[in-house]
Amino acid sequence: MDVFRVNGGRPLRGTIQVSGAKNAVLPIFAAALLTDEAVTIRNVPNLSDVRFMAEIMRHLGAEVSADAPGTWTIRARTLDNRAPYDLVRKMRASVCLMGPLVARLRSAIVSLPGGCVIGPRPIDLHLKGFAALGCGVSIESGYVHLDGRHLRGADVFLGGRHGSTALGTANILMAAVLAPGRTRIESAACEPEIVDLCRLLVAMGAKISGIGSHALEIEGVERLHGATHTVIPDRIEAGTFLLAGAITGGDITVEGARGDHLAALLDKLRETGVPFETVGPETLRVRADRPHRRVPTDIVTMPHPGFATDLQAQMSALLAVTPGLSIVTEKVFPNRFMHVPELQRMGADIAIEGPSAIIKGSDRLSGAPVMASDLRASAALVLAALAAHGESWIQRVYHIDRGYDRVDERLRALGADIERLPAEAMPRHLVGE
Ligand code: EPU
């Protein structure tokens, strides 16, 4: 297990290229199972989650190959209907294999993924959607069994207590494209990653309207064919880099940062007084090296186009060094505050009150040994360490490798003093449990 050693306090400068979107590519890989023809996917990020997904799909019988850096081809001539626990538990996103399997084979047996550190992650809405499409749904010995012999189009409502569901929408959409008749998904997720999935499905011959809205209409077709697709840039990675520029008082140009995907973050950067400019439709530049005074703000996370829960921890790191009182409320995953105790170890003054973090921002944090607990929490720790005075050690960085390709190398190219070391290199007295 590697660790990061970070010496904070250096403003980052330069240009960085955003990778393809993790949360788009995972359901897109799954969608390739909907046809026996080859599907080629470009701009695939080099991430451990992508490799896990490839492994699970190979286990199901698909041929999955990385042809060139960032280009993968998937061909599922034959398929098995069973995704076992030891693979699914490694990556929760594999639940989105249910839709393609039941659509293609009319039967799926997929393990329930188990616990998740960011809080309870039920799949009741997915199952309700499959039942609405005429599937027999049962849970036996930790596995979801879907009997799709009577799969057909129907009206499906996917709204839950926390709004729409991204992977739930992906699942029902992928089942509906091959279900006879018309499906209407109300309260569908409209995240850019779902739009990207729709674009691939349409390229494969699916009939979908309302793309990008909360009401998707699908006319089932008998079969889909192969296609080539380029994945959108990762808006969460882009937002994380913009925040890295802001928190270090740097000047970073982020290529692959789409203003239309990041409107809620940009609105909050504007409100807090972080200088930035739009360089082009896919390029944003944060100019935090210019004289400015940051002011606190309130954030409420919501499904797209609201403020993304996947940027909450990183934004909280910025607010921890923004003098004044900020309140961050999690409406998507109300327990997603694992970064808070670690930021407190760096001197942040944050209190949790129910689904809210009350942040009393200070001028600076101080470096400390901290522990990464999940992907976005670890991104927040990296940002805090880059801004902190002194040295930080971040343990369990495999969490960050799940969603950010070579983040240490790329930040170093912007002038960050960050180093990846084997865990044994960490001074013993700093090692956490
Ligand atoms: N929910 C239910 N029932 C369901 C499904 C979801 O109550 O059947 C609730 C969840 O508990 C949560 C809310 O609905 O409160 C939204 O969850 P959603 O289903 O949208 O989450 P997801 O699709 O499982 C994706 C991303 C997450 C991201 C969320 C929210 C992927 C692979 N994962 O998860 O990404 O936080 O949407 O935007 O697309 C990450 O990248 O770090 C990450 C966790």
Side-chain angles (χ1 to χ4, degrees):
M1 274 201 279
D2 291 345
V3 298
F4 284 163
R5 190 198 52 78
V6 184
N7 250 310
R10 296 184 171 205
L12 303 189
R13 285 182 216 292
T15 299
I16 191 160
Q17 182 71 45
V18 172
S19 308
K22 169 182 84 79
N23 289 347
V25 83
L26 298 174
I28 280 174
F29 264 38
L33 302 184
L34 287 163
T35 174
D36 60 3
E37 295 182 16
V39 175
T40 298
I41 305 160
R42 300 209 168 104
N43 201 29
V44 176
N46 181 22
L47 300 174
S48 54
D49 267 12
V50 170
R51 291 186 289 275
F52 276 142
M53 193 67 171
E55 190 186 329
I56 300 173
M57 290 174 55
R58 282 193 195 105
H59 177 93
L60 293 170
E63 297 154 41
V64 185
S65 58
D67 309 331
T71 301
W72 289 63
T73 296
I74 299 165
R75 181 149 195 196
R77 283 177 234 255
T78 58
L79 266 184
D80 187 9
N81 68 347
R82 190 182 173 91
Y85 177 59
D86 58 334
L87 294 176
V88 172
R89 76 180 163 79
K90 286 193 197 164
M91 195 183 56
R92 204 187 167 278
S94 46
V95 295
C96 72
L97 292 164
M98 287 192 289
L101 289 179
V102 81
R104 178 97 182 265
L105 305 172
R106 296 301 197 253
S107 161
I109 304 173
V110 176
S111 168
L112 284 162
C116 178
V117 70
I118 68 178
R121 297 188 66 181
I123 58 162
D124 56 312
L125 297 170
H126 303 228
L127 301 185
K128 174 181 149 185
F130 286 120
L133 292 184
C135 292
V137 179
S138 60
I139 295 179
E140 288 162 36
S141 313
Y143 281 76
V144 176
H145 290 244
L146 296 177
D147 174 351
R149 278 174 296 180
H150 304 296
L151 183 73
R152 39 133 188 85
D155 288 348
V156 183
F157 182 79
L158 284 185
R161 286 200 303 156
H162 302 284
S164 51
T165 158
L167 288 175
T169 301
N171 250 333
I172 300 311
L173 185 57
M174 290 190 279
V177 289
L178 289 181
R182 189 190 56 94
T183 296
R184 193 175 159 80
I185 308 178
E186 289 284 0
S187 200
C190 67
E191 268 67 7
E193 294 75 22
I194 298 298
V195 173
D196 207 29
L197 171 65
C198 289
R199 281 176 45 233
L200 167 67
L201 292 170
V202 168
M204 291 169 74
K207 293 194 179 142
I208 307 172
S209 57
I211 295 173
S213 79
H214 287 297
L216 292 171
E217 222 171 275
I218 301 117
E219 199 58 55
V221 295
E222 244 172 60
R223 62 182 302 274
L224 295 180
H225 50 75
T228 296
H229 179 79
T230 302
V231 176
I232 51 167
D234 195 311
R235 64 192 166 107
I236 306 302
E237 197 188 69
T240 304
F241 290 137
L242 290 171
L243 288 165
I247 204 168
T248 61
D251 170 9
I252 306 187
T253 300
V254 184
E255 292 179 348
R258 285 183 53 165
D260 58 334
H261 290 173
L262 286 161
L265 173 70
L266 297 183
D267 189 51
K268 287 298 169 185
L269 289 182
R270 210 172 281 121
E271 213 174 289
T272 48
V274 175
F276 68 89
E277 57 203 40
T278 300
V279 180
E282 295 216 353
T283 306
L284 293 165
R285 179 174 182 187
V286 63
R287 297 298 316 264
D289 57 332
R290 290 191 172 156
H292 68 288
R293 196 175 71 85
R294 280 205 308 273
V295 292
T297 188
D298 291 349
I299 306 279
V300 181
T301 66
M302 275 187 247
H304 193 73
F307 194 95
T309 173
D310 291 344
L311 283 170
Q312 181 262 113
Q314 304 89 312
M315 186 72 191
S316 298
L318 179 70
L319 295 176
V321 287
T322 299
L325 193 70
S326 293
I327 301 181
V328 172
T329 303
E330 243 308 337
K331 288 251 170 120
V332 180
F333 293 112
N335 299 315
R336 196 176 196 177
F337 290 113
M338 296 81 54
H339 48 287
V340 168
E342 302 302 309
L343 290 176
Q344 284 168 338
R345 305 196 70 250
M346 301 175 81
D349 186 345
I350 308 179
I352 305 288
E353 283 289 341
S356 298
I358 297 156
I359 304 176
K360 284 189 199 150
S362 64
D363 280 330
R364 74 188 325 182
L365 299 175
S366 62
V370 290
M371 189 77 79
S373 54
D374 91 313
L375 171 55
R376 308 304 171 188
S378 30
L381 297 181
V382 169
L383 296 191
L386 290 173
H389 180 68
E391 189 173 79
S392 295
W393 290 81
I394 305 174
Q395 294 185 73
R396 301 195 183 159
V397 299
Y398 60 86
H399 287 293
I400 203 164
D401 294 333
R402 286 189 42 219
Y404 297 83
D405 178 21
R406 296 170 294 113
V407 73
D408 46 326
E409 240 176 272
R410 292 155 81 205
L411 289 171
R412 209 159 44 240
L414 297 173
D417 184 353
I418 179 169
E419 208 181 353
R420 180 187 292 262
L421 296 165
E424 305 75 59
M426 189 168 167
R428 285 235 48 85
H429 67 284
L430 299 180
V431 175
E433 284 310 304

